[in-house]
Amino acid sequence: MMESGAPICHTCGEQVGHDANGELFVACHECSYPMCKSCFEFEINEGRKVCLRCGSPYDENLLDDVEKKGSGNQSTMASHLNDSQDVGIHARHISSVSTVDSEMNDEYGNPIWKNRVKSCKDKENKKKKRSPKAETEPAQVPTEQQMEEKPSAEASEPLSIVYPIPRNKLTPYRAVIIMRLVILGLFFHFRITNPVDSAFGLWLTSVICEIWFAFSWVLDQFPKWNPVNRETYIERLSARYEREGEPSQLAGVDFFVSTVDPLKEPPLITANTVLSILAVDYPVDKVSCYVSDDGAAMLSFESLVETAEFARKWVPFCKKFSIEPRAPEFYFSQKIDYLKDKVQPSFVKERRAMKRDYEEYKVRVNALVAKAQKTPEEGWTMQDGTPWPGNNTRDHPGHDSGLPWEILGARDIEGNELPRLVYVSREKRPGYQHHKKAGAENALVRVSAVLTNAPYILNVDCDHYVNNSKAVREAMCILMDPQVGRDVCYVQFPQRFDGIDKSDRYANRNVVFFDVNMKGLDGIQGPVYVGTGCVFNRQALYGYGPPSMPSLRKRKDSSSCFSCCCPSKKKPAQDPAEVYRDAKREDLNAAIFNLTEIDNYDEHERSMLISQLSFEKTFGLSSVFIESTLMENGGVPESANSPPFIKEAIQVIGCGYEEKTEWGKQIGWIYGSVTEDILSGFKMHCRGWRSIYCMPVRPAFKGSAPINLSDRLHQVLRWALGSVEIFFSRHCPLWYGFGGGRLKWLQRLAYINTIVYPFTSLPLIAYCTIPAVCLLTGKFIIPTLSNLASMLFLGLFISIIVTAVLELRWSGVSIEDLWRNEQFWVIGGVSAHLFAVFQGFLKMLAGIDTNFTVTAKAAEDAEFGELYMVKWTTLLIPPTTLLIINMSGCAGFSDALNKGYEAWGPLFGKVFFAFWVILHLYPFLKGLMGRQNLTPTIVVLWSVLLASVFSLVWVKINPFVNKVDNTLVAETCISIDC
């Protein structure tokens, strides 16, 4: 079995086997997901006819073969599943050592590995019998034995289902895409073979721009080839892991909230996010909230203490009346009937009292904010008289405190336990790279591993509150599903926003990306990580590969514990960098298994073994943290129960802890770009993980977005600069990640699109200038069209429109959202993206870095007041220039009117392109003009435009000047005899 080299079924761990023709059995021809025929038949008999990994429908021929076997095979399969506890074949379960167990089963079925797995499980079961506390220990994933004790019918129920887009919607969509490709090919053949000699420069520029636009469209379009929808079943999750009379077996979750400057990110906004986390519908002993204050502000700490005090009243109120959302600011500001579905007589009275308590809490926090506006000369001091450690924001020690809950006793006013709340401010010293948000998130990963070590991590921005209290359960339906969750690195939720104007002038909601592009990526290898609203598998952040990923090389002596614990120093025969790194990671996986098995080793022997493995070179010098990385199912290491564990937590957030380690390179949030989210998700996908897109009916999270034009452009500038940085780095998707062959090519296209889109600004700004140049010079970029060429142009425009219509049909996006997205693509492309490209070149060539200010999170004035404020910035110059020259170009009207009907055809084409530019920049013009209380902006725009055209035509025609007939004058002169 070891030498056969046959692939292993990712469901039961046995060989896949062969079909009737003697060929390797393949269940899904789209992703070739390894599954044996027995497991495939069971899936079909259970009514699941789509692939577990990619969601593609199974081959109809295979489905017919299974259906022909009838009920005989179904009963055989059912009895086979009932005996899975003894045999261990075709059992649907989560292994208590899932990563290790699957890795070892993938080693070609070696019986030595299986015996080790069995012995490890027996030790864990004995340990549970000895320690009653193990049942209530937080952050534990259910063991294999607990899963097998459940009824087989209930255990086989999927926690989530993939629903492919109906064929009657998807097939026409794909057909139009192919047709558009063919038309594009014919279009470029015509454009290249028919140059315009009278305007060769303009023609050449336009053709280059159009080729780039076509390339950009291909990168954006084809990752949407196979969009899917998903549905989760939280009732089944509760039935499986929360049986009545038994402790909850749901996995623990550590929440990460990051903030920097409390004066730009108001403490009330952060407090509402924290309160919504503490009140989530999830077992309280499984939830921990870590707040990272990267500005080390005393205001953040004091407001968090006030928030903890108010949470004692707020959390029981939310759970008693099941209110949504559980962020008080947004709950009390809802303009809905809050009595709907409320039957308790005391609700109105308690709601009024709670609203009064919240208003008093807001006054206390606002007083802290007012006090923090002026810093004392001697710096801030705490209540005990000691100086605040973060008085110097660039030079201060680390601060890790659970003080709010220590003071309050971790109980609400009704005596119920509350989730853990921890304030973290990492150490900062001059001369050290702190890596902004990515460094802060990595510090939270380490300190949370020492204190709670939940197997899953959920990170949100400080302005993204939990809008759906069951959001964590939605994610667990995927991550804790034994059929789906094993290879999932993270579950990404869409971003939704409050406080945006109804017209969404600057496309802040980004509906096209979240409701179209992300669904398409979910049908390939999963959505990209967007920085917030994401639930991570902690093991994926540690740099390990997915459990079911086949190994890249064989180990010569796998029977020796010493050989497994001491990784070989020899490089493989092939020396690609990616293959070598994966081989090192495979050795680390094997070491984790053996360290988990040797429970009889004392603390000294364990620390020596860890030292031999050189774990410090990967994870750092904290032995407590390293031990926590070996506990794949979560739980606090035994060594962390001793009093010095606080010192250990302070150590792992030190500024020098990451020196000479793999943090930011291979593990945690990856450094090297201001958009660390894209880079970190890309690295996980390159290792073979997949991600899942979860869209519950009620949005899981909601946040705020900058509605001011200048703030919005600066936000887009930051994103675009991050993409340019990745383009010029070693992690560029154009060349990175080919070694293991684990990144699907459509997924790679999507990542390439995320890093090359800022460069579209160069051809875009050139193309937007061409219409005005054509109108002013009288030249045109397209020659005289024949009937066939006219049909070609018409077909291209129709294919563009039909593609958009069919996309709207299967995605449910409105045409207004699509048009707003198109408009801001042009606005951002000719402003923020252009500056990002030049800043990226400056950083690469001259090493000039750019510092970004934190985007303001909320407006303090009237509703949508920020929308009408004009904040001048250099980003406004290029779009303003384009508007002026395209309006000025309309002076070409006069020349065309004088030349007669034969000039009206080219005039139509020129004016059409000019108006195309003006219409796309219209929201920018509205933002530039600010609030017009008396005269609508559209009236001002058309008035200026029509007045300019009329004046130019009037001057050209000169109606009050008598025209002289030059022919008559010449004849008169000839008749005169001089």
Side-chain angles (χ1 to χ4, degrees), residues 307 315 384 415 684 714 774:
T307 302
V315 173
D384 58 0
M684 294 181 194
H714 276 287
C774 291

Side-chain angles (χ1 to χ4, degrees), residues 88 93-98 101 105 114-128 143-145 148 593 596-597 599:
H93 57 77
I94 297 179
S95 174
S96 60
V97 284
S98 58
D101 195 0
N105 282 336
K114 293 184 177 180
N115 291 335
R116 292 184 180 181
V117 173
K118 184 177 179 181
S119 64
C120 185
K121 294 174 186 174
D122 292 339
K123 289 184 179 181
E124 288 189 359
N125 292 335
K126 291 179 181 178
K127 191 175 181 181
K128 286 185 177 181
T143 62
E144 179 181 1
Q145 183 181 4
E148 290 174 348
F593 169 74
T596 308
E597 186 180 15
D599 292 330

Side-chain angles (χ1 to χ4, degrees), residues 546-568:
S548 60
M549 182 56 62
S551 59
L552 295 176
R553 64 173 184 176
K554 295 183 182 180
R555 195 173 285 103
K556 292 183 179 180
D557 185 12
S558 59
S559 62
S560 170
C561 179
F562 179 79
S563 65
C564 294
C565 295
C566 299
S568 173

Side-chain angles (χ1 to χ4, degrees), residues 429-444:
R429 302 294 183 190
Y432 286 90
Q433 281 285 346
H434 302 296
H435 304 290
K436 301 178 181 178
K437 180 182 176 181
E441 296 289 349
N442 284 338
L444 289 180

Side-chain angles (χ1 to χ4, degrees), residues 713-729:
L713 290 178
H714 276 287
Q715 182 188 56
V716 175
L717 172 63
R718 178 182 177 276
W719 296 342
L721 181 59
S723 297
V724 175
E725 288 174 342
I726 298 175
F727 180 84
F728 289 120
S729 72

Side-chain angles (χ1 to χ4, degrees), residues 671-693:
Y671 304 149
S673 171
V674 294
T675 52
E676 71 289 328
D677 45 7
I678 296 293
L679 195 53
S680 302
F682 173 63
K683 291 277 287 188
M684 294 181 194
H685 284 139
C686 286
R687 297 187 190 113
W689 293 93
R690 73 152 297 145
S691 54
I692 298 294
Y693 195 49

Side-chain angles (χ1 to χ4, degrees), residues 204-241:
L204 182 61
T205 302
S206 65
V207 170
I208 294 174
C209 294
E210 289 161 1
I211 291 175
W212 179 266
F213 294 152
F215 170 71
S216 178
W217 171 77
V218 169
L219 293 181
D220 179 71
Q221 187 66 65
F222 277 89
K224 297 182 285 189
W225 184 260
N226 186 38
V228 296
N229 292 317
R230 292 183 185 272
E231 184 175 350
T232 54
Y233 303 98
I234 56 178
E235 298 83 6
R236 297 177 184 177
L237 180 77
S238 299
R240 182 176 297 185
Y241 297 112

